[in-house]
Amino acid sequence: MKVLVAYATAKGSTRGIAERLGSCIEGLGQEVDVRAATDVSYVHSYDVIVLGSAIHDGQWLADASDAVERLRSQFEGKRVWAFSVSSVGVTSTTLSRRLARLLRRVTPEPRAVQLLRDAADVRDHRFFAGAIAPGDWPGFGRVVFTLMGGHYGDARDWSDVCTWAGTIAAESTRDTERRT
Ligand SMILES: Cc1cc2nc3c(=O)[nH]c(=O)nc-3n(C[C@H](O)[C@H](O)[C@H](O)COP(=O)(O)O)c2cc1C
């Protein structure tokens, strides 16, 4: 079973999550490559593809959406998993907890994930909270972030990241056993 974890990041927190997903999946006995989405042209040699991106303005970064377009014809027969890294994850957030609860209910999937679902067998899409530093937001965004009860820092929940990696590894093992 060979797994590719591909990611797009602006400030590095998504790369950190991709690397941790990779090491957790590897720890469960699978062979894993972790690569920037821009460096991926072929996925033929992988059985499982995990593709993720930082969220800017509600959407995946162009590097990740471009990868969906570029690779879509190669996804047939592969198991694909998607993740998004934003201010609000399933288990943690850089915003106020009350606002995060609301946003979890109403935030739509990024368009690139919807396109991915059209092209591939997407097993799951998960939101993780990332990290944010005072200089990251442009001027007005910084004001809105403060009004939304935002706090700077690293909200990545490593335990949730590794639990999700475990789900990917377990389902991949089950699929392989079913095929043999
Ligand atoms: C310009 C900009 C736009 C952002 N837009 C959103 C957004 O629309 N929704 C959200 O939840 N978080 C948003 N964020 C927060 C980032 O998604 C979050 O900080 C993430 O961890 C960034 O990942 P990276 O470190 O891999 O670039 C934005 C951050 C920046 C700098």
Side-chain angles (χ1 to χ4, degrees):
M1 189 62 49
K2 203 162 170 204
V3 181
L4 171 68
V5 182
Y7 63 87
T9 184
K11 300 285 180 183
S13 64
T14 306
R15 179 173 54 243
I17 287 178
E19 286 167 351
R20 186 65 65 92
L21 284 171
S23 61
C24 292
I25 295 171
E26 207 163 51
L28 292 164
Q30 314 282 358
E31 197 183 334
V32 184
D33 286 339
V34 180
R35 292 158 66 186
T38 43
D39 294 343
V40 180
S41 306
Y42 300 102
V43 294
H44 297 297
S45 58
Y46 298 99
D47 307 288
V48 178
I49 294 141
V50 185
L51 182 57
S53 176
I55 294 285
H56 277 191
D57 303 325
Q59 302 301 329
W60 275 16
L61 300 180
D63 285 351
S65 329
D66 290 352
V68 172
E69 279 301 322
R70 186 170 68 251
L71 302 170
R72 54 183 296 149
S73 63
Q74 299 178 42
F75 285 143
E76 205 180 318
K78 316 267 181 212
R79 281 146 261 162
V80 178
W81 301 73
F83 67 96
S84 296
V85 179
S86 72
S87 306
V88 182
V90 176
T91 59
S92 61
T93 183
T94 54
L95 303 181
S96 76
R97 276 197 282 184
R98 181 196 270 196
L99 182 58
R101 268 199 301 275
L102 171 71
L103 290 175
R104 282 185 193 108
R105 284 205 304 273
V106 301
T107 303
E109 273 191 343
R111 279 190 300 275
V113 176
Q114 294 166 23
L115 289 175
L116 194 58
R117 288 187 186 282
D118 291 340
D121 174 16
V122 177
R123 300 296 172 96
D124 190 24
H125 166 238
R126 191 164 185 87
F127 274 99
F128 297 111
I132 190 93
D136 289 353
W137 285 106
F140 184 63
R142 205 171 312 148
V143 176
V144 175
F145 182 69
T146 308
L147 290 174
M148 290 194 300
H151 44 273
Y152 294 108
D154 190 344
R156 289 174 291 183
D157 178 350
W158 297 116
S159 152
D160 186 45
V161 170
C162 234
T163 301
W164 196 63
T167 308
I168 295 172
E171 196 171 313
S172 305
T173 307
R174 259 201 315 276
D175 282 353
T176 312
E177 285 168 358
R178 236 179 262 140
R179 283 179 190 184
T180 51

